[in-house]
Every structure is written in C-alpha cells, then in structure tokens.
Amino acid sequence: MAQGKDSVQQDDSVTTPPEGGVAAPGNGRATGKLAVEKLERVVIRFAGDSGDGMQLTGDRFTHEAAAFGNDLATQPNFPAEIRAPQGTLPGVSSFQIQIADYDILTAGDQPDVLVAMNPAALKANLEDLARGATVIVNTDEFTKRNLAKVGYTGDPLTDDTLTDFVVHRVPMTSLTLGATEPTGVGKKDGQRAKNMFALGLLSWMYGRPIGGTEQFMREKFAATPDVAEANILAFRAGWNYGETTESFATTYEVAPATLPPGTYRQITGNTALAYGIVTAGQLSGLPVFLGTYPITPASDILHELSKHKNFGVTTFQAEDEIAGIGAALGASLGGALGVTSTSGPGLALKSETIGLAVMTELPLVIIDVQRGGPSTGLPTKTEQADLLQALYGRNGESPVAVVAPRSPADCFDAAVEAARIALTYRTPVLLLSDGAIANGSEPWAIPQVSELEPIDPAFEPAGAEEDSFQPYARDPETLARPLAVPGTVGRAHRIGGLEKADGSGNISYEPANHELMVRIRQAKIDGIAVPDLEVDDPGERAELLLIGWGSSYGPIGEACRRARRRGVPVAQAHLRHLNPFPPNLGDVLRRYRTVVCPEMNGGQLAMLLRARYLVDVQPWTKIAGTAFQAQELVGVIDAALDGSIAEMEQAKAFAARARATYRTAGGK
C-alpha cells in the first residue's frame, strides 16, 4: 500500500463516475441518481461488540483512505476486559478515523458518522456525537434482551433518543446472511461477516476504492476460501445496499490531500518504533536483540520485530519483565543493540536492571508504551503518567536519557534517536510512547535509509597490553567510557553493580570516588547534544505558549490552529527530549507571559519545568484514559488568556473531591 502521495493510484476495480454519479463495485456503472457532496474532512467511528471485528473494519477503511490519498489519523479504543459479556458496555470496541483533503493532526473530536452494531455500541458512544451527526445502526441487534443488557427501558430507535441525529436503520445481520448464503458457510460464519457489510456501505458512501479489501480477504482467508467469499459477498452487499436503497440521498467525496512529495504508507506507532529499531541496527552495523515480555499496549513491538530476522533481529520472549531486560542488557555487553519493551507496570519491574545499566554505563533502549495506572490500572487506555518514573524511578542517583515521540509516524525517528544516544553516550535511554500513539496511525513518509546518518558504536579494538586498558576512561566530548566486547584481546575488565574506580574500573568504596562517579554520570546525561526547542509562533506576537510532550502534540496543534483562525495569537512548542531538556528551553519559557502545559497526568512536566526554570507554568491535566480533544484545549487557551486557567484546574480537583464525598455519604 506504500505509494507516493504526489501520484496516488486509483484502484482498478472502481471506475471514476461522471459528475454527480457513483461508481458501482467492479463494473464501473454510474447511476447518476445521487448528489455528491464535497467535504474537506469527515470523522467516522465504527463501534460494536469486541467480537464484531470493529478494529479490522476500521483498519481496512484506513487502508482504503491511504490508497486514495487522503491524509488521515486513527484512534482505536479497545475494551479492557479480554472476554467481556457479549452485548454489554464493557465489551464495546470502537475505531475512529478522520480523513481529510489537507494535513490533519488528530483523529477528530466528535464523530460525524457513528456505525453502531448493537445497543451497547450506541449507548457507549452517543454522548460523543455532535447534533446532526449521522447514525447507522444494525437494527437486527436491537432486541429486547440486548436493550435490557445496557439499561434501555425502551427502544432508542423508536423513541426520541435519536431525534437530534440523522438515523439510518439497516438490518445488517439479516442482509449479510442473505448475501453469504450461496457460499454454504454456516450461520455463525455468515453473521461474523456483518462488519464487512458495514465497511462496504461506508466505502460506497465515501467513494473508497474496494479492490484492495477484496484482495485482502482472499489472502487473509486463503485456507478457507468459502469464508473469504462470504466476507467479499457481504462487503459487496453493503456497497449495493447503499447504491440501491432510497435511504441514502447523498454520497460524499473527500479529495486526496496535497502533502509533500514522497512515498507514503499508513503506519501505527508500535510498527514505526519497530522499524526505527531495525533501522538503527542497520545504521550502526549491529545485530538487534529484543528481550521482552508481552504487555498491553507494547506487545505489537515484539510481534513486528519477530518478523525481521533477515535484518539481524533476534527476539526473545522471556518468562517475565526482569528476565527480558536482563537478557537485553547482556546482549548490549556482547556487542548488540539491546532493546526491551514494556508498559508502566513492567517498567517498575525493570528498574533494578536499569540501575545496573546506569552503573555499568552500557547502551540500552527501554521502550515504555504508557497506559493508565497505577498498578494494572487501565490496560487498554492511554496516559502520560510514567514521566517521573522514567526520570527518577530507581534507587540512588541513576540518570538516564528520556526521549518521547509526538505521533505514530514520529516514533520511527524517535527510536533511531534513542538508539543513537544510547550507543554514543553509553547510557540507557527511556523511550516514552503511550497508548494513543502506539495504536493510532497516520501516513508516514518512508525515508531513504541511505540518507540517514550512520551510528558509530565505536567498540574498543584489540590491544597488546591488557594492563594498560582503562575501561572507565572518558571520551572528552561525550564522557562515554570505552566499550570493549567480551573476548576482545587485551581489553578484559570488571563489570557489575558495585561502584567502580574512575579510570581503572576496579571496585571502589572510596567516598570521594563515589561522588566523582555520580557527578560524572550525571554530567554525561546533561551533556547529551540535543537540538534547540523550536517554537511555532506565527508573527512572534503571542503572549501565551502551550507546551507539551508525547501524544498531546496533535490536540495542542489543532487547538492552536483553531484559535489562530479566530484571530487569537497563541504559540506552541513540543518537547521530544525530556532529559536532558533542550538548551534554550528556559529562554523560551521566559519569553511568554503565560505558559500552559497540557498533559495526561497530574502535572508532572509542569512541575519539572517550574522547579528547573522558576517559571509559573500552569498545568492542565487529564487522567481519564482518553486523549485530549482539540476543542477542549481551545477552551483552555481562552481561559489562559482571561486569567482563569488556574481556577479552572483547581475546580476540576474540587469537583472530583465533592463527587467522592457525595458517594461516600451514600448520595445524601
């Protein structure tokens, strides 16, 4: 599916219709009976039971949008329970995608279209819709039993629940069973294809190419061709339903986006991280070793890296988090690019070995895909609450570098940067992604690896005299110690968790030496060369700066765009390097009268910035397991400019305490 946005190819199975017409699948027939409304953008959410295939449906629509040339951003939402009871609210799974004919930064605030496969999906997502949104419901699932499961006392399809929306009632299950009957598949397999009916209908509504989806189904179900054919027939039935029914008077067109020339593909954050690690191995000439333990939402990094043995990648699924990072650190000592991946609970378990990596000054990349906490918390939801853990969550003074990507596509560059720092400065590097980035997707301009800067691991060569080797001598520029792979002639030395003597590397308990080594390790991290922070401040006349990190980039950027369209000057800056900070960060913060830091935690970065630079950085916090909405941050911009931002943040905390008190008192 990778192709140039400047020369997007249309799918051969869809013939472009004449003006005002709609192409039918496979035959190029244009009916000319429907109006075509041109849109700049649309936000669509597919929602259903966790067994309804909503993630596959959304993923296929994403592929169609990418092939068509739209800019896009996606945000899946998974149920936290592995096997929630069917048809219940905890079991609802959804997939949201925004497609546009211009560059976009988020998956959208509110869906313009909701596809609800059952009452639970409708109830769980209805409050997110704007007035006038389109709701497409699978009426076959709105039985008394299913309605009762989610607390509906009446039928929302017949009462006034949906009066504010444009509603299309479609018997998807029964129509799918009718379409799949010729294949001879059983009723269960036939019903499972109803998500393809929904995909076909939406593909018709928005003029998406269809040949790729049909080919995908044939490849996915190659071992069971009857199931493949059932899904294809269901997909076509959905398209034809839109084509022939009188319920839909309009189709919609979202033109391809004009983006910088290049070859693009749709990519998720976890896949981009994996590709970045593979590329770092190629740039450094080192084999890649991933020692890890599966944990949501980081497991896909293991799955992807396991596919790339031909690039010198070895993946080791350990028995636990501790064994995973121990193996990765051992691989680093042995001359590989050592990597481990995890989420917040696993990062806590890895802390002792991260401290060992600090003490031994070995390169190591630790990927933390943050999720809701503490403890097991919200395994499938997003959060940014591991920043202080990444910086300080170990015993003793154990500084590490911290890097955070800002979007799914940016994960590639962030992974290469993390590996470069680890190998150059002989240090562990924490790479902080989060659930919104990991599972979200967007177009990615595929780089030419030959144009990327090589990474020199600078291993110590063999030497004639072993006694002359100083394993803790320092590079005068980076303060990195030499790295001699075990077995290198004349370069044997001690390694372990006890303090080393400066230069010789012998075990040392001398107080003065310990203080010297602690300060050298800190100075090494402080001296990592990172670029100056760039500020987006059109006209350089803003008095308000929004500063963020991680996945808040998209919502902050979109909120600033909306504010500027209203004539409100506001500046934006985003941190990739969280330790050390960019050298000009203090000057940037002091340049603005008001600085607001939105983040999905209790205000961790804001606290660090206030402490380091003595600037009154105002936090704006959200800890709901969901990403910021752009319009939410537009309100924050307005509040900051009128001076009420601090009161609003305090009011949130007060309201939470009041609700807790109310509930504790039994609602009295």
Side-chain angles (χ1 to χ4, degrees):
M1 64 170 289
Q3 57 186 324
K5 282 275 180 101
D6 50 329
S7 57
V8 177
Q9 300 174 355
Q10 299 295 325
D11 193 286
D12 292 338
S13 65
V14 180
T15 302
T16 303
E19 187 68 26
V22 179
N27 59 20
R29 177 177 57 85
T31 66
K33 69 178 182 179
L34 298 176
V36 178
E37 181 179 342
K38 296 183 182 294
L39 303 174
E40 291 183 344
R41 48 163 291 280
V42 67
V43 179
I44 300 168
R45 183 181 296 177
F46 299 93
D49 197 74
S50 57
D52 284 339
M54 293 296 94
Q55 303 304 322
L56 176 61
T57 306
D59 186 64
R60 288 313 312 165
F61 195 87
T62 301
H63 279 70
E64 292 174 0
F68 191 76
N70 298 124
D71 196 16
L72 63 92
T74 72
Q75 192 56 67
N77 191 354
F78 303 95
E81 297 185 31
I82 297 175
R83 296 187 182 277
Q86 189 173 7
T88 62
L89 292 173
V92 173
S93 175
S94 67
F95 188 106
Q96 182 163 308
I97 176 173
Q98 178 173 204
I99 59 175
D101 64 3
Y102 60 93
D103 67 303
I104 56 176
L105 299 174
T106 74
D109 286 354
Q110 295 177 300
D112 302 302
V113 180
L114 171 66
V115 179
M117 303 300 286
N118 59 19
L122 178 66
K123 189 166 188 178
N125 294 281
L126 196 58
E127 290 185 359
D128 294 341
L129 300 180
R131 186 174 183 178
T134 297
V135 180
I136 303 172
V137 294
N138 178 15
T139 55
D140 288 329
E141 297 299 319
F142 279 71
T143 63
K144 289 184 177 179
R145 181 183 179 190
N146 287 344
L147 291 168
K149 283 183 181 179
V150 295
Y152 277 127
T153 56
D155 188 346
L157 303 185
T158 58
D159 59 24
D160 61 355
T161 301
L162 302 178
T163 54
D164 290 335
F165 311 107
V166 178
V167 182
H168 296 284
R169 301 167 177 83
V170 184
M172 296 186 199
T173 304
S174 55
L175 289 173
T176 300
L177 287 173
T180 60
E181 186 176 1
T183 66
V185 299
K187 183 177 180 180
K188 187 174 182 180
D189 284 333
Q191 287 179 327
R192 284 176 175 167
K194 63 182 180 288
N195 64 326
M196 289 297 103
F197 182 99
L199 178 60
L201 176 57
L202 269 292
S203 299
W204 171 83
M205 287 179 64
Y206 292 94
R208 301 292 94 184
I210 66 171
T213 293
E214 294 193 359
Q215 180 181 353
F216 170 82
M217 288 300 163
R218 289 193 172 95
E219 293 174 355
K220 180 178 177 64
F221 298 107
T224 51
D226 55 338
V227 174
E229 189 64 20
N231 279 275
I232 291 170
L233 290 176
F235 178 72
R236 292 176 178 174
W239 178 291
N240 290 327
Y241 181 85
E243 177 78 357
T244 58
T245 185
E246 297 181 358
S247 299
F248 297 88
T250 306
T251 59
Y252 304 92
E253 178 183 308
V254 181
T258 301
L259 297 178
T263 302
Y264 287 75
R265 60 154 289 173
Q266 170 261 340
I267 199 165
T268 66
N270 276 346
T271 301
L273 284 174
Y275 286 179
I277 292 299
V278 173
T279 302
Q282 297 297 298
L283 294 173
S284 63
L286 300 181
V288 173
F289 182 92
L290 175 74
T292 191
Y293 182 78
I295 183 172
T296 302
S299 299
D300 285 341
I301 300 169
L302 166 62
H303 300 158
E304 184 60 42
L305 283 175
S306 68
K307 302 174 185 177
H308 299 291
K309 296 177 182 178
N310 55 318
F311 287 108
V313 177
T314 299
T315 54
F316 169 55
Q317 181 175 320
E319 65 269 27
D320 55 37
E321 298 279 6
I322 299 171
I325 189 173
L329 185 60
S332 288
L333 175 63
L337 173 57
V339 183
T340 190
S341 57
T342 190
S343 188
L347 185 62
L349 291 170
K350 295 178 187 294
S351 62
E352 183 179 6
T353 306
I354 296 173
L356 176 61
V358 171
M359 179 61 82
T360 55
E361 300 188 47
L362 290 173
L364 181 66
V365 177
I366 305 108
I367 301 172
D368 174 21
V369 185
Q370 301 164 96
R371 70 188 202 187
S375 187
T376 310
L378 305 175
T380 61
K381 311 302 179 184
T382 191
E383 205 164 274
Q384 291 180 294
D386 294 353
L387 177 57
L388 295 181
Q389 181 183 9
L391 288 167
Y392 306 117
R394 295 164 296 281
N395 67 295
E397 296 287 342
S398 51
V400 300
V402 180
V403 175
R406 68 186 190 183
S407 70
D410 188 51
C411 283
F412 175 86
D413 293 327
V416 173
E417 174 76 352
R420 188 184 305 278
I421 292 172
L423 290 167
T424 302
Y425 293 89
R426 310 292 195 240
T427 179
V429 179
L430 263 294
L431 182 55
L432 289 181
S433 178
D434 61 54
I437 293 175
N439 296 318
S441 64
E442 64 181 352
W444 172 53
I446 301 174
Q448 294 294 323
V449 176
S450 60
E451 298 177 0
L452 299 178
E453 184 182 352
I455 302 173
D456 182 8
F459 292 146
E460 278 291 298
E465 298 182 14
E466 189 166 316
D467 291 343
S468 66
F469 179 51
Q470 296 287 298
Y472 281 84
R474 303 284 169 180
D475 180 281
E477 182 176 345
T478 65
L479 297 183
R481 76 172 184 85
L483 185 53
V485 176
T488 302
V489 175
R491 295 296 180 256
H493 64 284
R494 297 170 185 250
I495 196 165
L498 293 173
E499 185 63 276
K500 309 298 184 299
D502 182 37
S504 70
N506 295 327
I507 294 172
S508 172
Y509 300 104
E510 291 295 324
N513 178 78
H514 176 57
E515 176 150 349
L516 173 65
M517 294 297 281
V518 167
R519 295 191 183 280
I520 286 176
R521 289 189 289 264
Q522 182 64 60
K524 181 174 67 170
I525 300 301
D526 293 341
I528 292 173
V530 303
D532 279 347
L533 179 65
E534 296 183 0
V535 182
D536 178 14
D537 184 359
E540 297 186 353
R541 59 190 183 91
E543 295 186 348
L544 169 64
L545 171 70
L546 263 62
I547 187 166
W549 66 283
S551 63
S552 63
Y553 172 78
I556 291 174
E558 178 60 29
C560 290
R561 286 181 179 181
R562 295 182 189 180
R564 291 167 188 163
R565 286 197 292 265
R566 293 190 291 126
V568 177
V570 57
Q572 175 194 3
H574 210 77
L575 291 167
R576 169 183 281 178
H577 295 275
L578 296 164
N579 197 33
F581 285 133
N584 67 330
L585 178 54
D587 292 337
V588 168
L589 295 176
R590 297 183 191 100
R591 193 186 308 165
Y592 294 90
R593 186 184 69 179
T594 305
V595 180
V596 177
C597 180
E599 49 185 330
M600 294 184 292
N601 56 45
Q604 296 182 15
L605 177 60
M607 179 183 68
L608 292 171
L609 297 179
R610 290 167 69 102
R612 175 72 62 87
Y613 300 106
L614 303 180
V615 173
D616 187 20
V617 178
Q618 297 293 320
W620 183 260
T621 61
K622 183 175 184 176
I623 322 171
T626 57
F628 286 110
Q629 292 187 349
Q631 196 58 36
E632 173 185 358
L633 295 183
V634 170
V636 171
I637 291 172
D638 292 340
L641 290 173
D642 68 22
S644 63
I645 184 72
E647 291 78 4
M648 288 176 60
E649 177 70 10
Q650 292 167 4
K652 286 195 303 183
F654 177 80
R657 290 195 298 271
R659 285 193 296 269
T661 302
Y662 179 81
R663 290 169 181 162
T664 302
K668 299 179 181 179

